[in-house]
Amino acid sequence: YEEIRAALGFSTKSLVNHHLEVLEATGYLSRVPKTPRSIRLMQPRTFRVPKFGQIAAGLPISVSDPDPDDYLELTRDIVAEQDGLYALQVTGNSMIDALVNDGDTVILKQQNEAHNGEMVAVWLRDRDETTLKRFYRENGHVRLQPANPSVPPLIVHPSVVQVQGKVVAVIRQT
């Protein structure tokens, strides 16, 4: 504890112990009580979500069949593990003001309904195309709003819109 205290510039060993307790409670390390040098780093708690190909953030793209063996490994600090999660790679720049760029990966929670303002993956049935936009139901139509002032919104009839999922996390491509 003294080595950790000195290396981190903490004033007391009790502050070191507090931080170690937090790391232990979150599963990042383990310790054996009253045993010197017993701190062990734990493997990150991860889970897998299926990758279902690409989603357009721009002009809608044709639906393609996903590779059933393609998965993305996530840690629980990115998003809580839950049923119905999947990943899509973003192509295009229509959502850049929502901090979603070309090449990023969005993690979605599968759902069929959306509330106004939610960022969702939408299948346009009449075109057999998908797109990533903010969803707004207004005056008998649906407005799929990009987050880029240079890209116009898509105004479509509700009967052609099928919500596929809501964005719950974005993984930036560096």
Side-chain angles (χ1 to χ4, degrees), residues 42-67:
M42 303 299 291
Q43 292 294 324
R45 294 179 290 173
T46 63
F47 62 99
R48 294 172 16 148
V49 297
K51 288 172 68 176
F52 286 158
Q54 297 183 330
I55 183 78
L59 296 176
I61 59 173
S62 297
V63 176
S64 60
D65 292 327
D67 179 351

Side-chain angles (χ1 to χ4, degrees), residues 16 24 38 43 83 89 91 116 121 136-137 145 172 174:
V16 170
E24 188 173 24
S38 68
Q43 292 294 324
D83 289 336
Q89 185 176 11
T91 62
N116 282 348
Y136 295 94
R137 189 177 302 276
Q145 183 67 45
R172 298 300 303 253
T174 55

Side-chain angles (χ1 to χ4, degrees), residues 20 54 57 150:
L20 291 175
Q54 297 183 330
S150 67

Side-chain angles (χ1 to χ4, degrees), residues 61-95:
I61 59 173
S62 297
V63 176
S64 60
D65 292 327
D67 179 351
D69 297 322
D70 200 7
Y71 286 88
L72 180 66
E73 190 105 1
L74 297 175
T75 58
R76 287 169 180 81
D77 59 337
I78 293 172
V79 65
E81 184 175 8
Q82 53 193 298
D83 289 336
L85 291 179
Y86 63 98
L88 294 169
Q89 185 176 11
V90 175
T91 62
N93 288 310
S94 74
M95 299 305 289

Side-chain angles (χ1 to χ4, degrees), residues 114-154:
H115 295 100
N116 282 348
E118 289 183 329
M119 190 184 320
V120 295
V122 172
W123 174 41
L124 301 171
R125 293 182 189 139
D126 61 336
R127 306 178 196 186
D128 199 25
E129 296 173 334
T130 59
T131 190
L132 181 70
K133 300 283 185 282
R134 292 216 183 267
F135 178 93
Y136 295 94
R137 189 177 302 276
E138 339 174 284
N139 303 322
H141 65 267
V142 172
R143 175 172 46 102
L144 300 173
Q145 183 67 45
N148 181 336
S150 67
V151 179
L154 292 170

